[in-house]
Amino acid sequence: MRIAVVGAGFAGLSAAKVLRQSGFHVTVFEKAPDVGGVWSRTRRYPGLRTQNDKGTYHLSDLPMPAHYPQWPTGEQVQEYLESYVDMFGLGTALRLSTEVVSAELLDDETGWLLASRPAGGGDPVTVERYDHLVVANGIFCDPLVPSFPGVEDFTAAGGRVLAAGEFHDLAAAREKNVLIVGYGKSSCDVAIPVSDVAARTHVVARELLWKMPRKLGGALNYKYLLLTRMGEALFRYITLKGFERFLHGPGNGLRRGMLDSVGSVATRQLKLRELGLVPNGSFQDIARSTVSLVTEGFFERVADGRIGVHRDRTISELLVDDGRPAARLADGTVLAADLVICGTGFRQHVPFFDETLHARLQDDAGNFMLYRQILPIDVPHLTFAGYNSSFFSPLSAEMAAVWTAAYLRGGITPPPVDRMREEVRTRVAWMAARTGGRHARGTNVIPFSMHNIDEVLDELGLNLGRLARARQWLLPVDPRSYRRVTARMIRRTADEGVTGRAEPAPARRAAP
């Protein structure tokens, strides 16, 4: 079986590794000149670091290097992924600087025709047939930059608007008036280095998010609070089991008290009340969408005036004020703005699929309808990797790849279509209600990372034992605990008579 993987971030590389070990011929397409996905040098913004510590943010069979700091830089994460490619000999499977421009489903039996070309456009276009396609383009691949009124005059006056992932050169902000839009990780991260060189730095936040300090009270590493099964159980899952029934039943007061206590400590530690930056709602709202870790130094710079935060505000228009680029906020405030950097989210879609194929993958609201966040219900020969974004995204993606490999080796038979469809509809409706619609079109499973991994591995009969999972209730999850899962899956499916025999590379033909 010939498999094409599109994307060479954590999801694409782990899928390639698992599938090759499972006996398949794999080709990985990546339009960037290097591996890494969001960590590629083409997408890294100044100040980018991991949110997880290095002990929880890695693939199961390759820990982060011991000399890395606790929260690695974007460059270090990319170097780690390069070492993963070398360790597992994935270089021969990679086609870097190669963009997939279209993917055509031939029929239920034949597979796919993929058209690709050198990144940046132009000829030649190459068309190849594959038996199966793994989409690993990431849910953070296509930045969503607002269409601001007045942008034409603004840019004509010398102003620039770009996404955070398009901002690579700090020199572009030197002695400039910089406006950063958004209050999530990328916006707060990039505000720090920008404030070192800019004339003025302002953050425009439509909605304040709760932030978790890296060390609560300056002492307790947040990984002991949120990167454990106990931390995950503090938030209500779609179904409750075991101790969760107590926490969300008779122990609900205790659970809320724990979260409120963390929120109170974070508020005092970060001086949010003094800064006028206490978010609306309660601290448990931190898990409504993506959990955001505090960017070191951010609130200190707000306090000393190097960063200004305009809370509960949006940009109503870009304009030219006294011959200089500027922005008017919804409350009428006009701010000088030579450079506008947008950390305003992403568009979740597959750019090489046409509208007809998207319609088969999504519901009427545009949510991806994927069983186990992996398998489309109505499109054959297709699986997704990394569409289960979580606290443990590398591990989540890798375990999804194990599910895909077992599925292709005949080691699992999914439920009937009607049952899968109903299960996915129920889950997406729950996600929408829980997050207020901020679930990245059904792809964001935060904070229920381990629930997702459990469901994937339980279905395969490959989950860790009770004792190993019990330790994860109080200790941060160590991805190395899952390093034997792939080998166990391969042995089990081989015992069932499925060999997954590798086949020759697909023949190429020029596009007509």
Side-chain angles (χ1 to χ4, degrees):
M1 182 179 289
R2 301 180 299 273
I3 300 176
V5 177
V6 182
F10 272 105
L13 293 178
S14 60
K17 175 257 184 185
V18 171
L19 289 166
R20 289 187 84 187
Q21 288 183 336
S22 300
F24 300 107
H25 182 278
V26 180
T27 302
V28 182
F29 295 86
E30 171 55 60
K31 66 181 179 181
D34 57 358
V35 300
V38 295
W39 307 101
S40 163
R41 67 177 181 270
T42 64
R43 298 183 60 188
R44 293 197 300 264
Y45 54 80
L48 176 62
R49 285 184 178 270
T50 64
Q51 290 214 116
N52 286 44
D53 69 293
K54 67 178 181 181
T56 58
Y57 195 77
H58 62 82
L59 294 159
S60 70
D61 38 19
L62 182 63
M64 289 275 182
H67 69 273
Y68 275 16
Q70 192 161 18
W71 284 274
T73 66
E75 182 178 6
Q76 288 171 324
V77 176
Q78 197 277 331
E79 290 173 350
Y80 163 82
L81 287 171
E82 292 277 10
S83 70
Y84 187 82
V85 169
D86 292 341
M87 178 174 180
F88 293 106
L90 300 178
T92 56
L94 291 175
R95 291 194 198 165
L96 301 177
S97 300
T98 304
E99 179 183 11
V100 174
V101 293
S102 68
E104 177 188 352
L105 181 62
L106 295 174
D107 55 54
D108 288 354
E109 300 298 329
T110 308
W112 296 85
L113 279 185
L114 261 65
S116 63
R117 67 184 177 195
D123 296 326
V125 172
T126 301
V127 177
E128 300 164 285
R129 191 190 71 78
Y130 289 90
D131 300 296
H132 187 86
L133 173 61
V134 177
V135 173
N137 67 321
I139 68 170
F140 306 118
C141 72
D142 193 356
L144 185 61
V145 176
S147 298
F148 297 113
V151 67
E152 293 84 4
D153 292 340
F154 173 85
T155 53
R160 294 180 63 199
V161 179
L162 67 163
E166 299 171 326
F167 178 62
H168 309 299
D169 185 7
L170 266 180
R174 190 171 301 279
E175 299 303 321
K176 302 292 186 182
N177 297 302
V178 182
L179 210 61
I180 299 170
V181 185
Y183 197 68
K185 172 177 164 53
S186 60
S187 296
C188 294
D189 279 357
V190 79
I192 296 295
V194 164
S195 67
D196 285 333
V197 301
R200 284 179 290 184
T201 304
H202 291 274
V203 173
V204 179
R206 179 179 60 182
E207 179 183 8
L208 295 186
L209 305 174
W210 286 97
K211 304 279 188 176
M212 172 65 80
R214 289 180 177 178
K215 291 188 176 180
L216 195 68
L220 180 62
N221 192 310
Y222 93 105
K223 67 183 180 180
Y224 293 102
L225 297 171
L226 290 183
L227 301 184
T228 65
R229 287 181 180 268
M230 172 61 83
E232 189 169 317
L234 294 176
F235 306 98
R236 188 182 186 92
Y237 194 54
I238 188 170
T239 55
L240 300 176
K241 296 180 180 179
F243 189 60
E244 293 174 336
R245 293 195 183 99
F246 169 78
L247 286 175
H248 295 271
N252 191 52
L254 173 64
R255 181 192 67 84
R256 292 185 63 90
M258 292 172 64
L259 286 171
D260 290 343
S261 295
V262 173
S264 297
V265 173
T267 298
R268 290 195 302 271
Q269 180 177 338
L270 303 174
K271 297 181 170 60
L272 298 183
R273 204 168 301 283
E274 295 88 329
L275 297 174
L277 295 179
V278 178
N280 298 320
S282 66
F283 187 78
Q284 66 179 332
D285 293 336
I286 194 172
R288 286 184 63 195
S289 183
T290 55
V291 172
S292 189
L293 200 65
V294 168
T295 298
E296 291 294 295
F298 179 82
F299 291 107
E300 290 83 351
R301 296 191 186 207
V302 174
D304 66 21
R306 282 183 284 174
I307 296 175
V309 177
H310 302 262
R311 66 170 294 169
D312 307 319
R313 297 289 184 269
T314 57
I315 295 176
S316 59
E317 65 171 333
L318 299 177
L319 67 153
V320 179
D321 182 47
D322 196 22
R324 295 288 304 274
R328 178 176 283 113
L329 306 188
D331 65 351
T333 301
V334 175
L335 299 172
D338 302 298
L339 177 62
V340 177
I341 302 174
C342 298
T344 45
F346 297 83
R347 181 186 177 202
Q348 279 73 46
H349 75 138
V350 184
F352 45 88
F353 284 167
D354 60 26
E355 291 184 6
T356 300
L357 196 49
H358 268 110
R360 296 175 63 180
L361 291 169
Q362 299 171 327
D363 64 11
D364 292 340
N367 299 307
F368 283 89
M369 305 295 285
L370 305 176
Y371 178 69
R372 298 288 183 238
Q373 310 292 129
I374 302 168
L375 183 69
I377 298 171
D378 294 316
V379 181
H381 310 302
L382 176 66
T383 50
F384 286 73
Y387 274 53
N388 52 350
S389 177
S390 75
F391 281 146
F392 305 98
S393 287
L395 181 62
S396 298
E398 184 182 358
M399 295 304 103
V402 173
W403 192 99
T404 292
Y407 170 69
L408 294 176
R409 287 168 64 93
I412 180 174
T413 301
V417 168
D418 289 347
R419 185 174 138 201
M420 285 195 293
R421 196 185 313 280
E422 183 58 32
E423 181 174 325
V424 174
R425 283 175 177 166
T426 299
R427 177 174 293 269
V428 168
W430 167 73
M431 293 167 76
R434 188 184 69 81
T435 66
R438 296 181 299 181
H439 51 53
R441 301 214 173 186
T443 64
N444 190 333
V445 301
I446 290 175
F448 302 109
S449 316
M450 300 312 300
H451 282 78
N452 174 255
I453 290 172
D454 283 347
E455 289 165 354
V456 167
L457 295 184
D458 283 345
E459 191 161 51
L460 298 176
L462 294 172
N463 210 344
L464 302 187
R466 289 182 179 274
L467 181 59
R469 283 179 285 163
R471 285 196 294 265
Q472 294 171 346
W473 270 84
L474 296 177
L475 297 176
V477 173
D478 184 347
R480 288 177 296 182
S481 302
Y482 294 83
R483 63 189 179 276
R484 296 187 179 89
V485 170
T486 297
R488 288 168 55 205
M489 177 274 296
I490 292 171
R491 286 196 302 270
R492 178 168 299 181
T493 51
D495 290 344
E496 292 168 357
V498 184
T499 61
R501 180 177 58 86
E503 294 184 16
R508 300 189 187 187
R509 64 180 177 85

